[in-house]
Amino acid sequence: MPRQDALLYARHLERRQSDIESAMAELGYDRLLIHSGRPMPRFFDDQAPPYRANAVFVSLVPLPEAADSLLEFRPGRRPRLWYCQPGDYWHLPPPDPESWWADALDVEVVDSPKAWRDRLDAPAARALIGRVEELQVDAGRADLNPEQLIARLDEARTRKTAWERHCIGLANERAVPGHRAAARAFSQGASEHDIQLAYLSAVRQDQDALPYSSIVALNEHAAVLHYQHRQSMPPARHSSFLIDAGASQAGYAADITRTYAMADQDEFAAVISAMDRAQQRLCDQVRADVDFVELHQETHRAVAVICEQAGLVRMAPEDQVEAGITSHFFPHGLGHFIGAQVHDVAGHRAPDGSALPPPTRHPALRLTRRLEPGNVVTIEPGLYFIPMLLDALKASSYSRHIDWQAVERLLPCGGVRIEDNVLVTEGDPVNLTRQAFETIQD
Ligand code: GLY
Ligand code: MN
Ligand code: MN
């Protein structure tokens, strides 16, 4: 690991330690314990889904694979980690601590969670973050997952440190060869399954290590927002391809979507180009003090313009938005925070901790705050042909404003989404995804 990583990580932990210590002082805690998590088998089963440590833990130590480990903060002391390396010949235990991260805290290697259990009962006012069923003991005398403290930790995580920005940038760079390989596989007529294999092979990460399950959607499947299958056989025709797939770096996520049209799909290709231009204009507005709700509303106007230009809707863009027509074509939010979780925390909370619920007309919007330097957000406008939502539009009084023949022609292409990860700064935004596509050449 380069020296720069050690430095960035040490500064990150210092910053978070100071955030945590002020929250603890304010809320009257002398000790904060954070459990990594542990793999939990499925119900009545001995098999567990792929494991990843809790994001609160990963946002403090770069160990997404650590299990049965415990992190402790006490004011004025170095953070302490009980790092569990069990003697296990059924599984490969986690690797030895590496100095680039381990030098920044006090690490004790233990072979079982028994080694730290007594910390839960130690005297002093303490808070514990973790799941009881994963801790395998009760919370002792600790306050379990205290809301106010977690809100303060979440708030700190909204402003990414240089270490976090570095990791998200590297995760984006890692995903780029995958997106290129996937586009090539699509143009060669591959199945969804084979496209996914091409993606994973180029990213050099297993699906279990990715921050979320890749969405690999051919044709109409692109209209299913979180399409979760990958068909093993190619479809009879390849009209369009939407891929929403990321990569991880030290537990931090990239979340990238691209959409492609086959050469014979001029009409859909024009929609993709218009969406790409609109998306870049939106990315350029990712600036300090911008209200994300307003940017989302502006996205509806951009979608309306595309609907009008593509001949789908015969109505002025402002009127389309007012009438709620665009919500039938663009039913999700413009974007969300991204970090140690792909949908990162505190999107619905103001910096002072008060609730910022999404507007009634936009319930799926995951981020309702004013942007601040250090925020990293996704910008992911889309336009889809979703039968269920189109049926509702057809049944409404606005049906006569829709060119249903144009809709029918585009229906087999499913939809378009373009998604980048963008850093808010004091000045111009930094589009980490487009930057990665420029930096990483094939
Ligand atoms: N990949 C899920 C999302 O874009 O939010
Ligand atoms: Mn996203
Ligand atoms: Mn995505």
mmCIF file of all heavy atoms in Angstrom, residues 212 244 255 257 380 419, ligand 3:
data_model
loop_
_atom_site.group_PDB
_atom_site.id
_atom_site.type_symbol
_atom_site.label_atom_id
_atom_site.label_comp_id
_atom_site.label_asym_id
_atom_site.label_seq_id
_atom_site.Cartn_x
_atom_site.Cartn_y
_atom_site.Cartn_z
ATOM 1 N N TYR A 212 -22.995 -3.521 -4.427
ATOM 2 C CA TYR A 212 -24.406 -3.906 -4.614
ATOM 3 C C TYR A 212 -24.467 -4.881 -5.773
ATOM 4 O O TYR A 212 -23.523 -5.011 -6.552
ATOM 5 C CB TYR A 212 -25.300 -2.680 -4.869
ATOM 6 C CG TYR A 212 -24.916 -1.864 -6.079
ATOM 7 C CD1 TYR A 212 -25.509 -2.079 -7.323
ATOM 8 C CD2 TYR A 212 -23.924 -0.886 -5.997
ATOM 9 C CE1 TYR A 212 -25.147 -1.339 -8.439
ATOM 10 C CE2 TYR A 212 -23.558 -0.144 -7.107
ATOM 11 C CZ TYR A 212 -24.166 -0.373 -8.323
ATOM 12 O OH TYR A 212 -23.796 0.367 -9.422
ATOM 13 N N ASP A 244 -26.000 -1.113 -14.417
ATOM 14 C CA ASP A 244 -25.789 -0.328 -13.201
ATOM 15 C C ASP A 244 -24.907 -1.200 -12.312
ATOM 16 O O ASP A 244 -25.389 -2.162 -11.703
ATOM 17 C CB ASP A 244 -27.154 -0.034 -12.547
ATOM 18 C CG ASP A 244 -27.042 0.839 -11.297
ATOM 19 O OD1 ASP A 244 -25.938 0.936 -10.736
ATOM 20 O OD2 ASP A 244 -28.082 1.384 -10.886
ATOM 21 N N ASP A 255 -20.865 3.683 -7.892
ATOM 22 C CA ASP A 255 -22.234 3.329 -8.329
ATOM 23 C C ASP A 255 -22.444 3.999 -9.689
ATOM 24 O O ASP A 255 -22.680 5.212 -9.742
ATOM 25 C CB ASP A 255 -23.219 3.851 -7.268
ATOM 26 C CG ASP A 255 -24.676 3.565 -7.609
ATOM 27 O OD1 ASP A 255 -24.938 2.833 -8.578
ATOM 28 O OD2 ASP A 255 -25.555 4.080 -6.880
ATOM 29 N N THR A 257 -23.967 3.907 -13.783
ATOM 30 C CA THR A 257 -24.901 3.338 -14.771
ATOM 31 C C THR A 257 -24.602 3.895 -16.153
ATOM 32 O O THR A 257 -24.360 5.103 -16.305
ATOM 33 C CB THR A 257 -26.363 3.674 -14.413
ATOM 34 O OG1 THR A 257 -26.612 3.300 -13.058
ATOM 35 C CG2 THR A 257 -27.334 2.921 -15.316
ATOM 36 N N GLU A 380 -28.208 10.575 -11.264
ATOM 37 C CA GLU A 380 -28.671 9.440 -12.073
ATOM 38 C C GLU A 380 -30.074 9.641 -12.635
ATOM 39 O O GLU A 380 -30.999 8.906 -12.268
ATOM 40 C CB GLU A 380 -28.589 8.154 -11.259
ATOM 41 C CG GLU A 380 -29.182 8.208 -9.851
ATOM 42 C CD GLU A 380 -29.038 6.874 -9.109
ATOM 43 O OE1 GLU A 380 -29.423 5.848 -9.685
ATOM 44 O OE2 GLU A 380 -28.537 6.882 -7.977
ATOM 45 N N GLU A 419 -25.580 7.375 -14.752
ATOM 46 C CA GLU A 419 -25.272 7.659 -13.343
ATOM 47 C C GLU A 419 -23.780 7.855 -13.120
ATOM 48 O O GLU A 419 -22.977 6.993 -13.466
ATOM 49 C CB GLU A 419 -25.773 6.489 -12.473
ATOM 50 C CG GLU A 419 -25.393 6.615 -11.011
ATOM 51 C CD GLU A 419 -25.985 5.513 -10.141
ATOM 52 O OE1 GLU A 419 -26.211 4.395 -10.652
ATOM 53 O OE2 GLU A 419 -26.205 5.778 -8.947
HETATM 54 MN MN MN B 3 -26.741 2.666 -9.543
#
